[in-house]
Amino acid sequence: MSWLRRHRPSRHRLGRHRSRTAGVVLAAALVGGALTVPAAQAEPPGGRLTDLVNPFIGSRNDGNTYPGAAVPFGMVQLSPDTGHTTGYGYDDDHIRGFGSVHISGVGCGLGGDLPVLPTTGDITETDNARYAAAYSHDDESARPGYYRVGLTSYGGITAELTATARTGRQRYTFPATDKANVLLNTGQSLHRTVSTRVEVLDSRTIRTTITGRGFCQDTEPYTVHTITRFDRPFASYGTWDGEKVTPGSKESTASGRHGAYARFDTRDDRTVEATTAISYVDAAGAARNLRAEGGRSFDRTKAAADAAWERRLALVGTRGGDPTLRRTFYSSLYRSFLAPNIGSDVDGRYTGWDRRTHRASGFTYYQNWSLWDTYRTQAQLLALLAPRESRDMARSVLRIDKESGWLPKWGYGTVETNIMTGDPVTPFLTNAYQQGLLRGQEAEEAYAALKKNADGVPPADSPAVGREANARYLKDGFAPYVKGRPHTKPGDSDFDHGASATLEYALSDAMLAQMARDLGHRADADRYAGRAQNYRKIFDSSTGFFRARDAQGAFTGPADPAKSEGFHEGTSWQYQWLVPQDLPGMIKLIGGKAGAEERLDSFFAYQELLKDPAKTARKVWVNGPYDYYNADKYNPQNEPDLIAPYTYLSTGHPWKSTDVVHAALTLFTDTPSGMTGNDDLGTMSAWMVLSSIGVFPVQPGTDSWGLSTPVFDRVDLTLDRRYYPAGHFTIKAPGTSSAKRYVQSVRLDGAERDRTYLTTDDLRTGRELAFSVGPKPSRWGTGDQAAPPPVGTSAER
């Protein structure tokens, strides 16, 4: 997934071990290569979809998810931190605190601001690794918007968490004691803290300011402001700085271990509630957020969070599928709605990347942009199911360009981290345009920003790196791979990954060419279309694979494509298929459809897969959350080849896409180890959702959706009528099962359809996509014009 640097093996998916439960697969059994899906069944009367969600999925083996409380796209994610580098590790047995900020599925320490922990007795430790409380999974539960755990330390304390968009609400049930403490730790987060300040404002309120930095590498600092309001007065309070605890201290500033505590007498009333609001603007913003969202009781807040999640999950209705499949599917759908996150306060103010305060008027400002990951799956799913929020997300990215001078690459909070490489912001924004989210002047604004990004390099005083290797790319058609080149800015460098950067640039050029042509910028469209063919510049005909070029233009690194260099988190085998803009051209390079078919069959171990898909997925394909290199097989746990299973649509064998996709789906289970590596802010979860319903974005950045057999008998999508006039779209595949998994025919609103893809206009104007399935492959989708055509390239004209 994203963000692993070779010199930091602890970064992203360290040491994945397979648990004993890893063999529990998505469906109850796999026979002959596909998921077993029972006959259609209606939703149980009164059943709630939130009951199906398991927030612990992905919390083991470095899936790096969090089980705590959040609402869809919320600013606050109140969740336990156990000492794992990214927050919560299922195999840990102590909780260090409940932090207010978490990001689902990241590979480095990020967030965890203000870990709060209830304790009893005298305060003798200020390091949360030492005062951490023991707990057991036997007394722990979670559901969307709610988390509960029984802490066995300190005489036994029950902690409950829930959330609104900008607040986290805590309820602690203590034993009877006159020394019940709530520790607010400002100096220890998942990343490095630079400076912190605590203030006891009155007998119920504590305010903090936390400035931190670092995400995989050093980054620019950012500041988060918090205010915590308790439901009753303190019996006493104090602060600590380092090892020194000062009872009665009302304020303190420090650059190291630091925090404040509030003490209560729980001999008569054992319950203490607290609400923490946060703001990335200022203390006044946190206070406004608290006043606006912190007034409900804990139970009403919990009920509202559950209702918000129920509305989101109900956008996708399913029939068919066994309980394991349904739990896994709706858990994936849940994680797809966790990010990006609201960045503006209730009054619309937010801190821009220029460090200044701005106001979002008429829209919500969002932050946290894992674009190298999400542009491939999650951006399209959100455009389909949450178009209003998706539009605001795109507008937020454009605000970053307007205020900081350049578009983002990987943004956290109010800063650019420059983690990952290539040009992921282009397909992210062109997707928003192609899905109808950016129109008129906004579309032109987006195009202008993308053109600047595609044709230049950020100035030296900009924190962004943009297309760092663009000068050479524009001159020679490739980004060179330069070993040991000093980094001029924090983050990753395209020069460290020249081969994959070339492929990513070319993909982005194709998508920008299509947007330019649509908007009437024909000269630009032709220029970008020509550049979209630059993938050919790194094709080594002597090996038949893509290969890095050095600064002098010579092919470099091992000739063996499984041991190739210059590819970010992958090998040439895995990047071979990252030419979605011109698969016919790429296929011709490697020997035509027959040659591509042979190579794909080897890549997926297709003959082994037919015999035992689940075993092939786990034992033959790449496995291990940080296993990127020295492999010639499919890596279903990382982004570069997420689209690869659908390449068979372009070789005239669409049924093989179904076989591979269904095998890959077995890697998703309803257990803590049931995530294919890091979730990367919903990327892998969105892959699971889209592949399960049989409609997948095979050309990210445009409006093409490839088809494969759904795993449900019926899927009903509820769509926003402002973007999809019909208001719904139904996908049917009656009888789909391991024995009947092959498409025999497809009808769109009753009309026969031999093409293996839809467009967004089809989804917008259509009402029903009906698959007929059978036990053997058919001739459906095998015609010369059946596959998705080239897009944004000279080849399409």
Side-chain angles (χ1 to χ4, degrees):
M1 318 298 277
S2 54
W3 325 306
L4 180 69
R5 292 189 62 79
R6 287 170 293 178
H7 64 279
R8 288 194 61 183
S10 63
R11 236 175 111 186
H12 186 81
R13 299 181 170 175
L14 302 178
R16 180 168 188 134
H17 343 349
R18 298 318 248 170
S19 73
R20 288 178 295 176
T21 59
V24 180
V25 296
L26 175 64
L30 278 159
V31 181
L35 291 119
T36 298
V37 182
Q41 56 192 41
E43 294 289 342
R48 294 185 62 79
L49 295 175
T50 50
D51 293 339
L52 299 176
V53 174
N54 178 5
F56 292 104
I57 294 174
S59 62
R60 171 180 274 162
N61 294 346
D62 291 297
N64 297 339
T65 58
Y66 61 83
V71 297
F73 312 121
M75 181 186 291
V76 169
Q77 308 84 28
L78 188 59
S79 188
D81 293 320
T82 63
H84 189 278
T85 183
T86 63
Y88 181 90
Y90 193 82
D91 294 324
D92 296 332
D93 57 9
H94 281 70
I95 290 174
R96 299 184 180 189
F98 303 104
S100 292
V101 178
H102 294 84
I103 305 296
S104 182
V106 296
C108 300
L110 187 63
D113 301 285
L114 194 68
V116 177
L117 190 72
T119 70
T120 60
D122 293 329
I123 298 171
T124 59
E125 295 286 355
T126 60
D127 181 347
N128 64 12
R130 297 190 177 206
Y131 66 66
Y135 78 104
S136 167
H137 296 308
D138 293 337
D139 194 14
E140 183 187 37
S141 61
R143 60 181 291 113
Y146 176 72
Y147 173 87
R148 179 199 173 281
V149 65
L151 305 176
T152 58
S153 301
Y154 304 111
I157 302 171
T158 299
E160 298 173 88
L161 314 176
T162 189
T164 69
R166 298 172 180 85
T167 74
R169 194 167 185 99
Q170 308 137 63
R171 181 163 66 189
Y172 302 124
T173 304
F174 289 92
T177 177
D178 61 351
K179 293 182 179 180
N181 313 308
V182 178
L183 310 184
L184 289 78
N185 190 328
T186 59
Q188 292 183 288
S189 300
L190 297 175
H191 49 253
R192 181 163 65 91
T193 54
V194 176
S195 65
T196 63
R197 178 170 176 77
V198 297
E199 301 170 88
V200 180
L201 299 183
D202 57 38
S203 63
R204 297 187 182 195
T205 313
I206 296 175
R207 183 167 68 191
T208 79
T209 302
I210 303 169
T211 299
R213 69 193 308 164
F215 170 43
C216 301
Q217 303 175 43
D218 203 12
T219 61
E220 292 293 316
Y222 78 95
T223 298
V224 61
H225 305 267
T226 83
I227 186 166
T228 302
R229 178 78 171 170
F230 291 84
D231 68 334
R232 57 168 158 151
F234 315 143
S236 61
Y237 57 84
T239 67
W240 71 82
D241 183 352
E243 299 290 342
K244 183 181 179 181
V245 180
T246 306
S249 171
K250 283 195 168 185
E251 59 183 77
S252 177
T253 301
S255 58
R257 196 182 309 157
H258 190 218
Y261 69 89
R263 175 166 290 168
F264 302 88
D265 187 333
T266 58
R267 286 174 293 185
D268 294 326
D269 182 356
R270 294 175 55 194
T271 300
V272 174
E273 294 189 14
T275 304
T276 299
I278 71 173
S279 168
Y280 289 85
V281 180
D282 53 25
R288 289 190 189 96
N289 292 341
L290 180 63
R291 286 195 299 271
E293 300 184 8
R296 290 179 173 176
S297 69
F298 184 94
D299 289 329
R300 289 184 64 194
T301 303
K302 172 188 170 186
D306 188 86
W309 280 113
E310 188 69 22
R311 288 192 297 271
R312 291 288 175 178
L313 299 176
L315 295 174
V316 184
T318 59
R319 294 190 182 183
D322 67 11
T324 300
L325 170 60
R326 293 173 59 73
R327 285 193 299 269
T328 306
F329 178 83
Y330 281 104
S331 297
S332 294
L333 186 60
Y334 159 77
R335 289 189 300 273
S336 299
F337 288 125
L338 287 172
N341 304 104
I342 293 170
S344 50
D345 292 339
V346 292
D347 61 1
R349 295 185 310 147
Y350 65 91
T351 296
W353 285 23
D354 58 358
R355 308 297 182 86
R356 298 178 180 178
T357 300
H358 303 274
R359 190 179 299 273
S361 179
F363 78 105
T364 299
Y365 180 82
Y366 288 87
Q367 58 193 26
N368 299 335
W369 306 104
S370 183
L371 296 174
W372 189 81
D373 308 285
T374 58
Y375 89 77
R376 308 166 200 261
T377 58
Q378 194 233 18
Q380 292 84 350
L381 181 62
L382 294 188
L384 185 65
L385 297 180
R388 283 180 287 178
E389 291 86 350
S390 293
R391 183 187 179 208
D392 283 357
M393 291 168 189
R395 297 168 83 183
S396 300
V397 167
L398 294 178
R399 281 292 186 99
I400 292 172
D401 174 75
K402 180 179 180 180
E403 293 156 3
S404 72
W406 213 264
L407 289 167
K409 180 166 284 188
W410 210 115
Y412 175 64
T414 61
V415 300
E416 171 68 89
T417 72
N418 290 318
I419 294 300
M420 300 315 296
T421 50
D423 179 18
V425 72
T426 293
F428 173 82
L429 282 176
T430 61
N431 171 72
Y433 167 73
Q434 296 294 343
Q435 308 305 332
L437 307 180
L438 296 175
R439 302 167 181 166
Q441 185 56 40
E442 283 184 337
E444 290 290 353
E445 178 186 349
Y447 177 74
L450 289 171
K451 180 179 178 181
K452 177 178 64 176
N453 175 75
D455 291 344
V457 177
D461 61 353
S462 169
V465 296
R467 288 195 184 196
E468 188 182 16
N470 221 14
R472 283 295 302 272
Y473 176 81
L474 298 181
K475 178 177 179 289
D476 301 321
F478 65 89
Y481 167 48
V482 184
K483 293 183 181 180
R485 184 180 185 274
H487 288 202
T488 59
K489 298 177 182 180
D492 290 308
S493 171
D494 289 346
F495 290 104
D496 289 341
H497 312 282
S500 57
T502 299
L503 296 175
E504 300 267 11
Y505 288 6
L507 183 159
S508 294
D509 283 335
M511 302 314 162
L512 189 53
Q514 184 188 33
M515 184 177 183
R517 187 168 292 117
D518 290 348
L519 293 176
H521 304 291
R522 298 196 60 82
D524 285 350
D526 291 343
R527 183 162 54 89
Y528 293 132
R531 282 163 41 176
Q533 294 288 313
N534 279 342
Y535 70 89
R536 299 172 181 269
K537 298 291 181 67
I538 63 166
F539 182 73
D540 184 356
S541 59
S542 69
T543 65
F545 283 87
F546 297 129
R547 195 173 173 193
R549 290 183 180 270
D550 63 20
Q552 287 71 47
F555 287 115
T556 186
D560 182 348
K563 301 182 183 301
S564 51
E565 295 179 351
F567 293 88
H568 203 172
E569 297 187 357
T571 67
S572 184
W573 267 101
Q574 290 149 6
Y575 274 92
Q576 182 66 57
W577 321 107
L578 192 62
V579 191
Q581 72 272 24
D582 187 21
L583 281 178
M586 186 278 291
I587 287 170
K588 186 176 181 180
L589 278 182
I590 61 176
K593 290 184 178 181
E597 191 84 7
E598 181 180 0
R599 190 174 292 188
L600 284 165
D601 287 352
S602 173
F603 182 62
F604 292 114
Y606 184 71
Q607 294 306 317
E608 295 175 68
L609 180 151
L610 288 179
K611 297 174 184 177
D612 194 332
K615 180 179 179 181
T616 301
R618 284 184 165 77
K619 301 297 185 182
V620 182
W621 292 351
V622 176
N623 276 286
Y626 302 96
D627 192 358
Y628 301 131
Y629 303 106
N630 303 314
D632 64 351
K633 291 295 183 284
Y634 176 45
N635 185 350
Q637 305 181 85
N638 206 16
E639 277 73 10
D641 53 1
L642 286 184
I643 310 171
Y646 295 91
T647 307
Y648 282 117
L649 301 183
S650 294
T651 67
H653 294 77
W655 63 88
K656 290 187 176 182
S657 285
T658 292
D659 290 333
V660 173
V661 167
H662 285 205
L665 284 171
T666 68
L667 296 169
F668 295 84
T669 75
D670 64 348
T671 68
S673 56
M675 172 65 62
T676 59
N678 296 165
D679 195 29
D680 290 322
L681 283 75
T683 299
M684 306 310 292
S685 293
W687 189 95
M688 190 274 174
V689 170
L690 291 162
S691 293
S692 294
I693 68 176
V695 179
F696 187 88
V698 292
Q699 294 174 316
T702 184
D703 63 346
S704 296
W705 304 80
L707 304 179
S708 65
T709 306
V711 299
F712 294 105
D713 285 352
R714 176 171 175 150
V715 177
D716 289 291
L717 305 178
T718 299
L719 305 176
D720 190 323
R721 291 184 182 275
R722 289 184 294 182
Y723 298 91
Y724 300 90
H728 71 273
F729 191 83
T730 298
I731 302 167
K732 293 181 177 179
T736 182
S737 69
S738 62
K740 295 174 63 178
R741 66 182 183 271
Y742 295 119
V743 178
Q744 306 297 299
S745 65
V746 172
R747 291 178 178 271
L748 180 62
D749 290 338
E752 288 278 357
R753 191 177 185 90
D754 190 55
R755 294 188 302 183
T756 60
Y757 67 97
L758 299 178
T759 67
T760 298
D761 278 345
D762 293 328
L763 296 174
R764 188 172 290 123
T765 60
R767 292 177 178 269
E768 181 181 280
L769 183 70
F771 290 84
S772 172
V773 295
K776 295 181 180 180
S778 71
R779 294 191 59 79
W780 174 83
T782 60
D784 290 340
Q785 305 301 315
V791 59
T793 71
S794 301
E796 71 172 319
R797 292 178 294 138

